[in-house]
Amino acid sequence: HDRTMTTSTDAMQNAKNAMPSASVVSGVLQALVYGGAGTYGLYNSLFNVEGGHRAIVYNRFVGVKDKVYSEGTHFMIPWVERPYTYDVRARAHQVNSQSGSRDLQMVNISIRVLTRPDVNKLPEVYRTLGMDFNERVLPSVIHETVKSVVAQHNASELITQRESVSLAIRNLLKQRAAQFNMVLDDVSITALTFGREYTAAIEAKQVAQQEAERAKFIVDKAKQDKLSAVIQAEGEAKSAKLIGEAISNNPAFLTLRRIEAARAIAATMAGSSNRVMLRAD
């Protein structure tokens, strides 16, 4: 029995010696915690900026930083800094505007613009306009600009001077957009329509012009026909006079004309399949 007790005690002592000490377990746990925290912190301290984009960083203590981050991977302080990414590629925007011309005609204009934010002014754009700067600025600026330019022209000038009107709208829009740190790459008028009354007036005017041109053509044609008849009559009178003078001066002229007429009749009869022969007496 004493031998059995001794064996059990030795086994328990060996098992106790085989177990790691508390300090070792604590060290392993600390290493796992610190390693996990470090990995998590490193992962959250990096951010990527894709192609065609730029980023700014907001710091909880100093606010929006003035630095603009280009494409690539960048560092930030986790839980303290937060990145905001802007798409700086030109984007198309279509805006419809109704304005009054100088002669009080209602004009519907569709404007297509290509805009992008000023890359160097992105921190200011975020402070003043936020992320949806296009929706905040473009509609009101375009409406204001179009109304200002259209009011300086008559409705007919908007059609005949379309390129100059588009250029005036573009120049004014560039100036207004620059005040909001935006860049306009292109401005074009895609559609230009007028009210029903003005459209009907234009159509009536075109019909009247066509009728006037038709009446003018008829008058000119009548004049030409009259002149042609006069010339023909004068020619026939002159021809008769010449023939009369030829007959009076030379009696053989009449005989020559009879011979020419007989030759023409003979040629006609020779070419015809139906011939009737008559006696000369």
Side-chain angles (χ1 to χ4, degrees):
H1 180 72
D2 291 340
R3 183 178 297 174
T4 303
M5 290 292 295
T6 301
T7 303
S8 298
T9 301
D10 292 341
M12 292 178 61
Q13 186 65 34
N14 292 334
K16 184 177 180 180
N17 292 334
M19 293 180 60
S21 63
S23 60
V24 174
V25 173
S26 177
V28 172
L29 291 177
Q30 288 180 0
L32 291 175
V33 170
Y34 291 147
T39 302
Y40 180 79
L42 179 63
Y43 176 78
N44 285 276
S45 65
L46 300 175
F47 68 94
N48 292 324
V49 180
E50 302 294 335
H53 294 71
R54 296 293 186 273
I56 60 171
V57 171
Y58 171 78
N59 188 288
R60 296 180 183 273
F61 301 106
V62 300
V64 179
K65 301 171 68 174
D66 293 331
K67 181 180 179 181
V68 177
Y69 295 83
S70 59
E71 303 168 3
T73 302
H74 304 275
F75 290 94
M76 66 176 181
I77 303 175
W79 307 291
V80 176
E81 294 180 340
R82 183 168 61 250
Y84 292 93
T85 303
Y86 281 90
D87 186 349
V88 296
R89 295 170 292 188
R91 289 187 292 173
H93 300 272
Q94 187 86 15
V95 178
N96 300 321
S97 178
Q98 187 177 48
S99 308
S101 63
R102 189 170 61 185
D103 53 353
L104 304 180
Q105 298 295 334
M106 296 308 299
V107 183
N108 298 313
I109 297 183
S110 295
I111 301 292
R112 178 181 177 273
V113 298
L114 290 177
T115 64
R116 54 186 173 86
D118 189 344
V119 174
N120 298 322
K121 300 294 182 63
L122 285 180
E124 184 65 21
V125 171
Y126 181 79
R127 293 188 186 99
T128 56
L129 300 174
M131 299 296 294
D132 55 344
F133 59 94
N134 279 326
E135 289 71 17
R136 289 175 178 265
V137 174
L138 279 182
S140 59
V141 170
I142 292 177
H143 285 303
E144 176 188 352
T145 302
V146 170
K147 291 180 183 296
S148 175
V149 174
V150 170
Q152 301 175 15
H153 297 79
N154 293 330
S156 59
E157 294 176 349
L158 295 176
I159 300 176
T160 59
Q161 303 177 13
R162 182 165 178 166
E163 292 185 1
S164 62
V165 172
S166 178
L167 182 61
I169 292 176
R170 177 176 181 175
N171 293 335
L172 189 55
L173 268 179
K174 281 188 173 182
Q175 296 176 8
R176 296 285 290 119
Q179 299 176 2
F180 298 96
N181 301 310
M182 297 173 59
V183 179
L184 267 68
D185 292 328
D186 182 62
V187 179
S188 59
I189 299 176
T190 58
L192 178 63
T193 58
F194 300 92
R196 292 183 178 178
E197 295 80 4
Y198 186 76
T199 303
I202 292 178
E203 292 177 353
K205 182 179 179 181
Q206 291 177 344
V207 171
Q209 289 177 345
Q210 292 174 357
E211 291 294 335
E213 291 295 332
R214 184 172 179 271
K216 182 180 178 182
F217 171 76
I218 293 175
V219 171
D220 291 341
K221 185 175 182 299
K223 290 181 178 179
Q224 292 296 327
D225 292 342
K226 181 179 179 181
L227 181 60
S228 177
V230 171
I231 294 174
Q232 183 178 0
E234 291 177 350
E236 291 177 352
K238 187 175 181 180
S239 176
K241 181 180 178 181
L242 293 174
I243 292 174
E245 292 177 351
I247 293 174
S248 60
N249 295 331
N250 188 2
F253 177 77
L254 185 58
T255 304
L256 178 62
R257 294 300 298 269
R258 287 176 180 174
I259 294 173
E260 291 177 351
R263 286 180 177 176
I265 294 172
T268 302
M269 293 184 64
S272 175
S273 60
N274 297 325
R275 294 191 292 271
V276 178
M277 307 301 293
L278 299 176
R279 290 169 37 170
D281 54 356

